[in-house]
Amino acid sequence: MSDIRLVVFDLGRVLCRICDGWQHACNVAGVKGAPTGELSREAYQAIHTAMCAHEVGEANVDDFARVAAPHLGVSVRDFVAMHNAYTIGPYDGAATLLDDLRAAGVTTACLSNTNANHWRLMFEPGPARMPLEKLNHLFASHLLGLRKPDDRIYAHVEQATGTAAREIVFFDDIEENIAAAAQRGWQAHRIEIDSDPIAQLRRHLHSHDVLALK
């Protein structure tokens, strides 16, 4: 029997395919004049600061666009189109994995740094729709006013689910988020972006005796 009581997934690059960057988003959205080259340090910092505000619910997509668009050399309208295109859809096998966990009686959750616009797209009919209804708990940064790797967001998951840190296995693609979870005592695994994420998840879950390998 596994000692894991809760399986927690990040969404982007773990269960959900997303764009590789703003140039990719331009191509997916059909926006002409995609940004090329490296952003300046000042531009990167401005976009990152606006993105963080967006992800904790302090700014909507239009607010984000008004800051980021000039740095990327696109219009506000085109930036919103790129933003809409950023979330591509679930990886093949994501829904089946969640079904298998439910059939095994395993409690699941997502813990995602996201925003109201992408959250909406993941629930609405369309290519970006995610099978979030298959999860037992949904934790999103813009709803909590906190984002990973803030220790408080991990503490919230423990408290909201009534689960001890040592009983949680967590998957994310960003090292600092994994490190913060491990610091609390979660069983944390980084998903490598250059390999099949669903296959990686299944191998890790097997190693914790949560699921048998198919």
Side-chain angles (χ1 to χ4, degrees):
M1 296 292 291
S2 176
D3 59 356
I4 297 299
R5 291 185 52 223
L6 178 65
V7 178
V8 182
F9 302 96
D10 180 29
L11 292 177
R13 298 193 178 99
V14 176
L15 293 178
C16 178
R17 190 184 304 277
I18 62 174
C19 288
D20 296 327
W22 290 115
Q23 289 178 316
H24 186 192
C26 267
N27 294 335
V28 173
V31 171
K32 295 182 179 179
T36 59
E38 294 292 326
L39 293 173
S40 69
R41 184 174 181 179
E42 293 75 17
Y44 174 84
Q45 187 58 53
I47 293 172
H48 181 73
T49 298
M51 181 191 72
C52 290
H54 189 32
E55 289 185 346
V56 296
E58 295 176 355
N60 62 29
V61 64
D62 294 320
D63 298 327
F64 184 23
R66 281 190 286 271
V67 173
H71 292 292
L72 296 175
V74 299
S75 69
V76 168
R77 181 178 179 179
D78 281 348
F79 181 88
V80 172
M82 293 157 57
H83 193 275
N84 289 340
Y86 216 90
T87 301
I88 297 173
Y91 285 112
D92 291 342
T96 301
L97 173 62
L98 298 181
D99 284 338
D100 289 347
L101 287 167
R102 182 174 289 251
V106 179
T107 302
T108 56
C110 67
L111 177 61
S112 177
N113 285 350
T114 187
N115 55 77
N117 191 47
H118 287 165
W119 196 245
R120 172 184 62 82
L121 292 170
M122 286 189 284
F123 277 97
E124 290 183 352
R129 191 183 188 284
M130 291 292 296
L132 299 179
E133 72 282 355
K134 297 179 183 292
L135 294 161
N136 298 104
H137 303 278
L138 304 176
F139 300 106
S141 60
H142 71 290
L143 299 177
L144 299 176
L146 298 167
R147 66 189 300 277
K148 298 171 294 186
D150 189 325
D151 184 70
R152 293 174 296 172
I153 202 168
Y154 303 96
H156 176 85
V157 171
E158 294 169 22
Q159 293 161 7
T161 62
T163 311
R166 67 182 181 279
E167 299 172 323
I168 300 173
V169 64
F170 173 58
F171 303 104
D172 201 293
D173 65 308
I174 297 178
E175 183 57 42
E176 63 179 351
N177 297 340
I178 289 295
Q183 183 67 30
R184 287 199 65 85
W186 292 20
Q187 307 298 311
H189 300 279
R190 184 177 183 183
I191 298 303
E192 302 296 333
I193 63 175
D194 58 351
S195 182
D196 180 354
I198 304 303
Q200 292 179 68
L201 292 170
R202 286 191 175 275
R203 287 195 296 270
H204 287 304
L205 290 167
H206 174 67
S207 74
H208 286 283
D209 295 321
V210 174
L211 279 182
L213 281 179
K214 284 191 172 182

